Amino acid sequence: ISIHDLDFNTPHLGQIAKIGLIIAIIALTEAIAVGRSFAGIKGYRLDGNKEMMAIGFSNVIGSFTSCYAATGSFSRTAVNFAAGCETAMSNIVMSVTVFVALECLTRLLYYTPIAILASIILSALPGLIDINEAIHIWKVDKFDFLALIGAFIGVLFASVEIGLLVAVVISFAKIILISVRPGIETLRRMPGTDIFADTNQYPMTVKTPGVLIFRVKSALLCFANASSIEERIMGCVNEEEEEENIKSNAKRKILFVVLDMSNLINVDTSGITALAELHNNLTQAGVELVLVNPKWEVIHKLNQAGFVSKIGGKVYMTIEEAIDACFGLKV
């Protein structure tokens, strides 16, 4: 029993709190990652909140009796899984067994080679390696496969914590890369319909004369990607104008740029500034900017920034409505 040793007046309390926070982050990350892996194998749902509450409660109670900081052990979970355990009752049996072993069998087990203890864990691991799933991930997403390999090598040659860290870093790098360089879709009309689709996915789409339609493949228009999106749209406009001039030997053909904002769920001040710069550049080139289907949060911020009035209120629900309004067919 160590509850009487608790001392909150120690000068080392701040340092202990920092260490405790780091331990908590690593323990919770490892426990939830391991839990979700086995949840996927066994086909049940893992509640992360309940998992964290259970680990926190067990560590608080354990601290009253000098326990180690406990988490969802990967090795013990693997052994339990290999042994065919189905419920949390197995943990109670294991706890009682460990208690009895510590009290009564310590002297008998003291000289057991570590290699024998390791073999118990290693014998449970081959069943957890799914080569077919790794091949499936490689076919679906190369970045996810890179995270998988990073985690595998990190765990194999270092520790579970290092493996998790490598996987998390690669996953965050993927998110940042996608956010910084989001795709831009060029939309055109499907023949005989009012549907506008990506030209790369549907090559049979028909161009609308005088109009370029773009859709941003990102949920956020922010400081990380705003300038890139603006530059790519202007690049597409200039490229299209050059092609039109070569084909017809005439002057400007592009009259409107329609920006479909249906994918955007939020925009920050950098995104609004980039839209304003895009509008200014297009205006100087004699092209009008039109917005289509912005979400409530987006249009609210654009209104607050005065951008909607700057573009003359050209905001519409659908691309078809925007095109008709731009060419004066109907309002």
Side-chain angles (χ1 to χ4, degrees), residues 148-173:
L148 181 151
I149 292 298
F152 180 79
I153 294 176
V155 172
L156 187 64
F157 292 104
S159 65
V160 173
E161 290 79 9
I162 296 298
L164 284 172
L165 180 62
V166 171
V168 168
V169 169
I170 294 174
S171 298
F172 271 109

PDB file of all heavy atoms in Angstrom, residues 148-173:
ATOM      1  N   LEU A 148       2.361   1.463 -42.826  1.00  0.00           N
ATOM      2  CA  LEU A 148       2.359   0.077 -42.333  1.00  0.00           C
ATOM      3  C   LEU A 148       3.785  -0.452 -42.211  1.00  0.00           C
ATOM      4  O   LEU A 148       4.166  -1.021 -41.178  1.00  0.00           O
ATOM      5  CB  LEU A 148       1.544  -0.795 -43.294  1.00  0.00           C
ATOM      6  CG  LEU A 148       1.378  -2.290 -42.975  1.00  0.00           C
ATOM      7  CD1 LEU A 148       0.059  -2.801 -43.536  1.00  0.00           C
ATOM      8  CD2 LEU A 148       2.515  -3.123 -43.569  1.00  0.00           C
ATOM      9  N   ILE A 149       4.588  -0.261 -43.249  1.00  0.00           N
ATOM     10  CA  ILE A 149       5.972  -0.742 -43.226  1.00  0.00           C
ATOM     11  C   ILE A 149       6.775  -0.027 -42.153  1.00  0.00           C
ATOM     12  O   ILE A 149       7.592  -0.629 -41.436  1.00  0.00           O
ATOM     13  CB  ILE A 149       6.629  -0.552 -44.610  1.00  0.00           C
ATOM     14  CG1 ILE A 149       5.963  -1.488 -45.636  1.00  0.00           C
ATOM     15  CG2 ILE A 149       8.118  -0.825 -44.548  1.00  0.00           C
ATOM     16  CD1 ILE A 149       6.110  -2.964 -45.327  1.00  0.00           C
ATOM     17  N   GLY A 150       6.534   1.295 -42.015  1.00  0.00           N
ATOM     18  CA  GLY A 150       7.237   2.052 -40.984  1.00  0.00           C
ATOM     19  C   GLY A 150       6.928   1.541 -39.592  1.00  0.00           C
ATOM     20  O   GLY A 150       7.825   1.381 -38.755  1.00  0.00           O
ATOM     21  N   ALA A 151       5.638   1.269 -39.333  1.00  0.00           N
ATOM     22  CA  ALA A 151       5.241   0.742 -38.026  1.00  0.00           C
ATOM     23  C   ALA A 151       5.830  -0.653 -37.806  1.00  0.00           C
ATOM     24  O   ALA A 151       6.320  -0.967 -36.709  1.00  0.00           O
ATOM     25  CB  ALA A 151       3.716   0.689 -37.934  1.00  0.00           C
ATOM     26  N   PHE A 152       5.801  -1.476 -38.834  1.00  0.00           N
ATOM     27  CA  PHE A 152       6.312  -2.847 -38.716  1.00  0.00           C
ATOM     28  C   PHE A 152       7.809  -2.852 -38.396  1.00  0.00           C
ATOM     29  O   PHE A 152       8.265  -3.541 -37.474  1.00  0.00           O
ATOM     30  CB  PHE A 152       6.046  -3.601 -40.025  1.00  0.00           C
ATOM     31  CG  PHE A 152       6.537  -5.025 -40.019  1.00  0.00           C
ATOM     32  CD1 PHE A 152       5.803  -6.020 -39.391  1.00  0.00           C
ATOM     33  CD2 PHE A 152       7.725  -5.373 -40.635  1.00  0.00           C
ATOM     34  CE1 PHE A 152       6.239  -7.334 -39.382  1.00  0.00           C
ATOM     35  CE2 PHE A 152       8.178  -6.675 -40.642  1.00  0.00           C
ATOM     36  CZ  PHE A 152       7.427  -7.661 -40.007  1.00  0.00           C
ATOM     37  N   ILE A 153       8.575  -2.064 -39.143  1.00  0.00           N
ATOM     38  CA  ILE A 153      10.029  -2.022 -38.928  1.00  0.00           C
ATOM     39  C   ILE A 153      10.354  -1.398 -37.567  1.00  0.00           C
ATOM     40  O   ILE A 153      11.251  -1.852 -36.851  1.00  0.00           O
ATOM     41  CB  ILE A 153      10.709  -1.238 -40.065  1.00  0.00           C
ATOM     42  CG1 ILE A 153      10.553  -2.012 -41.392  1.00  0.00           C
ATOM     43  CG2 ILE A 153      12.184  -1.003 -39.763  1.00  0.00           C
ATOM     44  CD1 ILE A 153      11.094  -1.278 -42.592  1.00  0.00           C
ATOM     45  N   GLY A 154       9.597  -0.333 -37.203  1.00  0.00           N
ATOM     46  CA  GLY A 154       9.832   0.314 -35.916  1.00  0.00           C
ATOM     47  C   GLY A 154       9.603  -0.628 -34.755  1.00  0.00           C
ATOM     48  O   GLY A 154      10.401  -0.671 -33.810  1.00  0.00           O
ATOM     49  N   VAL A 155       8.516  -1.397 -34.804  1.00  0.00           N
ATOM     50  CA  VAL A 155       8.219  -2.361 -33.742  1.00  0.00           C
ATOM     51  C   VAL A 155       9.233  -3.499 -33.747  1.00  0.00           C
ATOM     52  O   VAL A 155       9.687  -3.963 -32.700  1.00  0.00           O
ATOM     53  CB  VAL A 155       6.785  -2.912 -33.893  1.00  0.00           C
ATOM     54  CG1 VAL A 155       6.547  -4.046 -32.912  1.00  0.00           C
ATOM     55  CG2 VAL A 155       5.764  -1.799 -33.676  1.00  0.00           C
ATOM     56  N   LEU A 156       9.622  -3.937 -34.953  1.00  0.00           N
ATOM     57  CA  LEU A 156      10.516  -5.096 -35.075  1.00  0.00           C
ATOM     58  C   LEU A 156      11.911  -4.795 -34.534  1.00  0.00           C
ATOM     59  O   LEU A 156      12.493  -5.600 -33.796  1.00  0.00           O
ATOM     60  CB  LEU A 156      10.602  -5.523 -36.544  1.00  0.00           C
ATOM     61  CG  LEU A 156      11.358  -6.818 -36.844  1.00  0.00           C
ATOM     62  CD1 LEU A 156      10.656  -8.002 -36.204  1.00  0.00           C
ATOM     63  CD2 LEU A 156      11.476  -7.017 -38.351  1.00  0.00           C
ATOM     64  N   PHE A 157      12.458  -3.614 -34.863  1.00  0.00           N
ATOM     65  CA  PHE A 157      13.846  -3.315 -34.511  1.00  0.00           C
ATOM     66  C   PHE A 157      13.981  -2.359 -33.335  1.00  0.00           C
ATOM     67  O   PHE A 157      15.095  -2.176 -32.817  1.00  0.00           O
ATOM     68  CB  PHE A 157      14.570  -2.720 -35.715  1.00  0.00           C
ATOM     69  CG  PHE A 157      14.754  -3.700 -36.837  1.00  0.00           C
ATOM     70  CD1 PHE A 157      13.951  -3.631 -37.964  1.00  0.00           C
ATOM     71  CD2 PHE A 157      15.707  -4.704 -36.761  1.00  0.00           C
ATOM     72  CE1 PHE A 157      14.112  -4.529 -39.014  1.00  0.00           C
ATOM     73  CE2 PHE A 157      15.875  -5.609 -37.800  1.00  0.00           C
ATOM     74  CZ  PHE A 157      15.072  -5.527 -38.927  1.00  0.00           C
ATOM     75  N   ALA A 158      12.880  -1.735 -32.877  1.00  0.00           N
ATOM     76  CA  ALA A 158      12.975  -0.804 -31.751  1.00  0.00           C
ATOM     77  C   ALA A 158      11.956  -1.177 -30.690  1.00  0.00           C
ATOM     78  O   ALA A 158      12.232  -1.995 -29.820  1.00  0.00           O
ATOM     79  CB  ALA A 158      12.785   0.643 -32.240  1.00  0.00           C
ATOM     80  N   SER A 159      10.764  -0.574 -30.751  1.00  0.00           N
ATOM     81  CA  SER A 159       9.729  -0.841 -29.757  1.00  0.00           C
ATOM     82  C   SER A 159       8.377  -0.480 -30.344  1.00  0.00           C
ATOM     83  O   SER A 159       8.291   0.118 -31.424  1.00  0.00           O
ATOM     84  CB  SER A 159       9.976  -0.024 -28.483  1.00  0.00           C
ATOM     85  OG  SER A 159       9.843   1.363 -28.764  1.00  0.00           O
ATOM     86  N   VAL A 160       7.320  -0.849 -29.622  1.00  0.00           N
ATOM     87  CA  VAL A 160       5.970  -0.508 -30.077  1.00  0.00           C
ATOM     88  C   VAL A 160       5.806   1.007 -30.162  1.00  0.00           C
ATOM     89  O   VAL A 160       5.208   1.536 -31.102  1.00  0.00           O
ATOM     90  CB  VAL A 160       4.923  -1.106 -29.114  1.00  0.00           C
ATOM     91  CG1 VAL A 160       3.515  -0.613 -29.474  1.00  0.00           C
ATOM     92  CG2 VAL A 160       4.964  -2.622 -29.160  1.00  0.00           C
ATOM     93  N   GLU A 161       6.369   1.740 -29.189  1.00  0.00           N
ATOM     94  CA  GLU A 161       6.249   3.194 -29.187  1.00  0.00           C
ATOM     95  C   GLU A 161       6.895   3.804 -30.420  1.00  0.00           C
ATOM     96  O   GLU A 161       6.326   4.695 -31.064  1.00  0.00           O
ATOM     97  CB  GLU A 161       6.887   3.777 -27.917  1.00  0.00           C
ATOM     98  CG  GLU A 161       6.136   3.480 -26.634  1.00  0.00           C
ATOM     99  CD  GLU A 161       6.385   2.075 -26.117  1.00  0.00           C
ATOM    100  OE1 GLU A 161       7.279   1.381 -26.658  1.00  0.00           O
ATOM    101  OE2 GLU A 161       5.687   1.652 -25.179  1.00  0.00           O
ATOM    102  N   ILE A 162       8.094   3.326 -30.761  1.00  0.00           N
ATOM    103  CA  ILE A 162       8.794   3.852 -31.943  1.00  0.00           C
ATOM    104  C   ILE A 162       8.009   3.519 -33.207  1.00  0.00           C
ATOM    105  O   ILE A 162       7.871   4.361 -34.111  1.00  0.00           O
ATOM    106  CB  ILE A 162      10.218   3.272 -32.035  1.00  0.00           C
ATOM    107  CG1 ILE A 162      11.053   3.719 -30.827  1.00  0.00           C
ATOM    108  CG2 ILE A 162      10.881   3.700 -33.328  1.00  0.00           C
ATOM    109  CD1 ILE A 162      11.237   5.208 -30.726  1.00  0.00           C
ATOM    110  N   GLY A 163       7.473   2.308 -33.296  1.00  0.00           N
ATOM    111  CA  GLY A 163       6.674   1.921 -34.460  1.00  0.00           C
ATOM    112  C   GLY A 163       5.448   2.802 -34.622  1.00  0.00           C
ATOM    113  O   GLY A 163       5.125   3.257 -35.731  1.00  0.00           O
ATOM    114  N   LEU A 164       4.756   3.057 -33.498  1.00  0.00           N
ATOM    115  CA  LEU A 164       3.589   3.944 -33.543  1.00  0.00           C
ATOM    116  C   LEU A 164       3.989   5.352 -33.953  1.00  0.00           C
ATOM    117  O   LEU A 164       3.302   6.003 -34.742  1.00  0.00           O
ATOM    118  CB  LEU A 164       2.906   3.967 -32.171  1.00  0.00           C
ATOM    119  CG  LEU A 164       2.059   2.749 -31.811  1.00  0.00           C
ATOM    120  CD1 LEU A 164       1.616   2.848 -30.359  1.00  0.00           C
ATOM    121  CD2 LEU A 164       0.843   2.634 -32.717  1.00  0.00           C
ATOM    122  N   LEU A 165       5.097   5.828 -33.423  1.00  0.00           N
ATOM    123  CA  LEU A 165       5.554   7.173 -33.745  1.00  0.00           C
ATOM    124  C   LEU A 165       5.855   7.307 -35.232  1.00  0.00           C
ATOM    125  O   LEU A 165       5.467   8.304 -35.870  1.00  0.00           O
ATOM    126  CB  LEU A 165       6.807   7.506 -32.919  1.00  0.00           C
ATOM    127  CG  LEU A 165       7.417   8.895 -33.142  1.00  0.00           C
ATOM    128  CD1 LEU A 165       6.424   9.976 -32.758  1.00  0.00           C
ATOM    129  CD2 LEU A 165       8.714   9.039 -32.346  1.00  0.00           C
ATOM    130  N   VAL A 166       6.529   6.316 -35.802  1.00  0.00           N
ATOM    131  CA  VAL A 166       6.850   6.345 -37.227  1.00  0.00           C
ATOM    132  C   VAL A 166       5.561   6.368 -38.060  1.00  0.00           C
ATOM    133  O   VAL A 166       5.428   7.152 -39.013  1.00  0.00           O
ATOM    134  CB  VAL A 166       7.720   5.131 -37.613  1.00  0.00           C
ATOM    135  CG1 VAL A 166       7.872   5.034 -39.124  1.00  0.00           C
ATOM    136  CG2 VAL A 166       9.079   5.225 -36.955  1.00  0.00           C
ATOM    137  N   ALA A 167       4.599   5.506 -37.692  1.00  0.00           N
ATOM    138  CA  ALA A 167       3.337   5.452 -38.432  1.00  0.00           C
ATOM    139  C   ALA A 167       2.571   6.765 -38.336  1.00  0.00           C
ATOM    140  O   ALA A 167       2.007   7.247 -39.326  1.00  0.00           O
ATOM    141  CB  ALA A 167       2.482   4.295 -37.919  1.00  0.00           C
ATOM    142  N   VAL A 168       2.548   7.359 -37.145  1.00  0.00           N
ATOM    143  CA  VAL A 168       1.835   8.634 -36.950  1.00  0.00           C
ATOM    144  C   VAL A 168       2.498   9.744 -37.757  1.00  0.00           C
ATOM    145  O   VAL A 168       1.811  10.556 -38.398  1.00  0.00           O
ATOM    146  CB  VAL A 168       1.792   8.994 -35.448  1.00  0.00           C
ATOM    147  CG1 VAL A 168       1.321  10.429 -35.257  1.00  0.00           C
ATOM    148  CG2 VAL A 168       0.870   8.048 -34.710  1.00  0.00           C
ATOM    149  N   VAL A 169       3.830   9.798 -37.753  1.00  0.00           N
ATOM    150  CA  VAL A 169       4.553  10.831 -38.511  1.00  0.00           C
ATOM    151  C   VAL A 169       4.263  10.698 -40.001  1.00  0.00           C
ATOM    152  O   VAL A 169       3.998  11.698 -40.693  1.00  0.00           O
ATOM    153  CB  VAL A 169       6.067  10.735 -38.237  1.00  0.00           C
ATOM    154  CG1 VAL A 169       6.847  11.611 -39.216  1.00  0.00           C
ATOM    155  CG2 VAL A 169       6.373  11.157 -36.818  1.00  0.00           C
ATOM    156  N   ILE A 170       4.301   9.478 -40.519  1.00  0.00           N
ATOM    157  CA  ILE A 170       4.017   9.271 -41.944  1.00  0.00           C
ATOM    158  C   ILE A 170       2.577   9.650 -42.269  1.00  0.00           C
ATOM    159  O   ILE A 170       2.306  10.276 -43.305  1.00  0.00           O
ATOM    160  CB  ILE A 170       4.298   7.802 -42.330  1.00  0.00           C
ATOM    161  CG1 ILE A 170       5.792   7.499 -42.207  1.00  0.00           C
ATOM    162  CG2 ILE A 170       3.825   7.514 -43.751  1.00  0.00           C
ATOM    163  CD1 ILE A 170       6.150   6.048 -42.437  1.00  0.00           C
ATOM    164  N   SER A 171       1.648   9.301 -41.388  1.00  0.00           N
ATOM    165  CA  SER A 171       0.240   9.628 -41.623  1.00  0.00           C
ATOM    166  C   SER A 171       0.009  11.140 -41.618  1.00  0.00           C
ATOM    167  O   SER A 171      -0.725  11.670 -42.460  1.00  0.00           O
ATOM    168  CB  SER A 171      -0.637   8.955 -40.559  1.00  0.00           C
ATOM    169  OG  SER A 171      -0.525   7.555 -40.620  1.00  0.00           O
ATOM    170  N   PHE A 172       0.659  11.843 -40.671  1.00  0.00           N
ATOM    171  CA  PHE A 172       0.534  13.303 -40.637  1.00  0.00           C
ATOM    172  C   PHE A 172       1.175  13.934 -41.865  1.00  0.00           C
ATOM    173  O   PHE A 172       0.669  14.929 -42.404  1.00  0.00           O
ATOM    174  CB  PHE A 172       1.168  13.867 -39.361  1.00  0.00           C
ATOM    175  CG  PHE A 172       0.209  13.950 -38.206  1.00  0.00           C
ATOM    176  CD1 PHE A 172       0.327  13.100 -37.133  1.00  0.00           C
ATOM    177  CD2 PHE A 172      -0.828  14.865 -38.216  1.00  0.00           C
ATOM    178  CE1 PHE A 172      -0.558  13.162 -36.065  1.00  0.00           C
ATOM    179  CE2 PHE A 172      -1.722  14.945 -37.159  1.00  0.00           C
ATOM    180  CZ  PHE A 172      -1.590  14.088 -36.078  1.00  0.00           C
ATOM    181  N   ALA A 173       2.299  13.372 -42.303  1.00  0.00           N
ATOM    182  CA  ALA A 173       2.950  13.891 -43.515  1.00  0.00           C
ATOM    183  C   ALA A 173       2.027  13.738 -44.721  1.00  0.00           C
ATOM    184  O   ALA A 173       1.950  14.632 -45.581  1.00  0.00           O
ATOM    185  CB  ALA A 173       4.263  13.145 -43.755  1.00  0.00           C
TER     186      ALA A 173
END
